[in-house]
Amino acid sequence: MQVFDATLSVTRTRLGIVPFSVPGGVLKPATINFTAAGSPFDVHLLYGNYQLSHFKHRYDTPTVMVIQGWRPREYYLPYMWESQVVTRISQQLPMNIAGQWYLVFQNAPELSGDNSIKVVAALTTKSIAS
């Protein structure tokens, strides 16, 4: 199922966001397949509104409490996957969690102006009943 086919206009601070939803009741993993091309950029795969709302503040990140053994441990995952800085990418990423996901595009650190990034993205799922 195609989830996006357009050109994003991004900067380092104005993110290009491609939202998509992985439904429940599908065989795991669902897969997001995407291609993108433009001036140097990077891409991040984020899960849920929490990661999206904190993405711009990665260096002042909140923490998540996780019980590991007998001791709690705090950590924060700012993204589920990230690319290197590229001018073109074609990627397939598996997702084992149903819910809201985001592909987030931003300029490479050395670019200060606008960047047009052509993105095509499709979600592949297989229903449990199949």
Side-chain angles (χ1 to χ4, degrees), residues 3 28 43 47 68 73 76 93 100 108:
V3 295
K28 295 175 183 172
V43 188
Y47 175 69
Q68 195 172 33
R73 181 173 177 191
Y76 174 71
L93 300 172
Q100 189 65 44

Side-chain angles (χ1 to χ4, degrees), residues 36-42 84-89 115-118:
S39 294
F41 62 91
D42 55 42
Q84 296 179 345
V85 173
V86 296
T87 57
R88 177 174 299 277
I89 190 169
N115 187 0
S116 295
I117 303 172
K118 172 63 176 164

Side-chain angles (χ1 to χ4, degrees), residues 103-117:
L103 286 171
V104 178
F105 295 80
Q106 65 182 356
N107 272 0
E110 65 272 12
L111 293 181
S112 59
D114 284 351
N115 187 0
S116 295
I117 303 172

Side-chain angles (χ1 to χ4, degrees), residues 16-128:
I17 299 172
V18 176
F20 61 96
S21 183
V22 173
V26 298
L27 290 176
K28 295 175 183 172
T31 304
I32 187 73
N33 306 289
F34 71 94
T35 58
S39 294
F41 62 91
D42 55 42
V43 188
H44 292 79
L45 177 66
L46 309 181
Y47 175 69
N49 291 328
Y50 186 78
Q51 282 188 336
L52 181 63
S53 66
H54 291 90
F55 182 75
K56 291 183 186 178
H57 309 288
R58 285 179 288 170
Y59 303 106
D60 182 27
T61 57
T63 56
V64 176
M65 184 71 74
V66 173
I67 305 300
Q68 195 172 33
W70 291 101
R71 290 185 268 173
R73 181 173 177 191
E74 293 185 354
Y75 74 97
Y76 174 71
L77 296 173
Y79 48 80
M80 303 302 279
W81 172 88
E82 73 173 325
S83 74
Q84 296 179 345
V85 173
V86 296
T87 57
R88 177 174 299 277
I89 190 169
S90 183
Q91 191 74 40
Q92 293 182 332
L93 300 172
M95 296 154 299
N96 287 314
I97 306 169
Q100 189 65 44
W101 289 81
Y102 304 92
L103 286 171
V104 178
F105 295 80
Q106 65 182 356
N107 272 0
E110 65 272 12
L111 293 181
S112 59
D114 284 351
N115 187 0
S116 295
I117 303 172
K118 172 63 176 164
V119 179
V120 176
L123 181 66
T124 303
T125 61
K126 185 174 182 181
S127 100
I128 291 174

